[in-house]
Amino acid sequence: NDVAVRFDQRVKEHLSIVERIASDDMEGKRGLLVEVVDRYSDDDTYLSLGSKRSVEENEVPKTVVSVRDSSMRVVQAFRRASLAVSSRTLGRTSILRTREVEEIKIIKRIEMRQASDIPDPTEWPHRPVMVCVNSPVSSKLEAPKYGEGPLPVGVPFHFRSELFEGMCLVRMKDVTSDDPDGGKTYFTGRKRLFQYIVQGRFLEEIPVSNVLTGHEFVRPLKKLPPAWLLRTGISLIERVAPGLKVNLNAEQPSALAILAATAQAVSGDAPGNEPDIRCNDIKEDLSILGGIFKEGSITSAKRKKYLMNPKDASKYAYDTESIYTFDFYQNLLDMKTHSLDLGVAKLGLSKNLNGQPIQIMSKTLDGRYLFSFQIWHEKLLPKEKKK
């Protein structure tokens, strides 16, 4: 109890320091040094400060400070401030002078349901595929009607998390659907193989730049191209799309980008004016954000290019009154065969994913989830579970 009290007191002290910095004018105070954090705990949450060009180091091996989940309010205050930090990391003092701390990230250990945690494939209504809630990411993420079981395909289902509440619709070509006629109508005459739409309301105002989507995994991927080739390719991609962060060779690989810069169509509407997500086409309209979107003339392509840059995306925020719709679709991912359809050939995914499903997911920079749904295929299961 004494340890817990001391820890909580230290968190409050540091929060007070950071909030004073955040509310002050930092202009002309480039050399200010402030003692903020020594060491909180040895858990799996880390705070990394600064970019190479914005931080001067004084004998700093690595600027990584371990923190508790319960100190996230301190971390969030860090994100709002340009600040200088004196931190004790791994038993030695590290002094940082910050001109402009451009980047403060939360790197939180990824969690995921495993093959042993999901229903037997004989219970999958859309076999060989099953969509389910990735419940380990948050105790507050739920699809109330379906619990831990299979989610619908082809019809919308309701879900809620600590940051978002709404509906999700998943369509997969040639996979059993709960609305076969609707699926047939949607895919006929199109090259599309996969679609999902998320529509709902944010429960907290969040900058557009802070909401990400993509894929993440708890174990290393297998049979990847050589590391040097991956680094070269990823570097080229990130130069074109500065908001894209790809780390495929990590112990917990991920590929994340800004949500609003990734969807094929996005709309923001007053409640009651939102589109029906069961329709075949979502009209692009983010005029509700104002700024360059105010006139409603920005195309999907221009919106993607503009919001892919975090500096531009940070000028806008999702409010808590409007209904936002994000429509994702593509013609490469064939979930029926669990492969990438390149036209001339199909590349199987199972051998690379190491028994891990792809996801429909969105999370914030500080590691909180709007939604996370897994898409399992029986090819990912161990042999004993495929029976």
Side-chain angles (χ1 to χ4, degrees), residues 87-105:
S87 66
R88 294 179 182 86
T89 304
L90 303 178
R92 60 182 296 184
T93 299
S94 306
I95 305 298
L96 305 181
R97 283 188 176 89
T98 306
R99 295 193 186 94
E100 293 177 351
V101 177
E102 296 180 349
E103 182 182 5
I104 299 178
K105 298 179 183 177

Side-chain angles (χ1 to χ4, degrees), residues 33 55-60 85-87 93-97:
L33 295 177
V55 176
E56 294 178 357
E57 301 186 10
N58 177 19
E59 298 182 357
V60 181
V85 179
S86 171
S87 66
T93 299
S94 306
I95 305 298
L96 305 181
R97 283 188 176 89

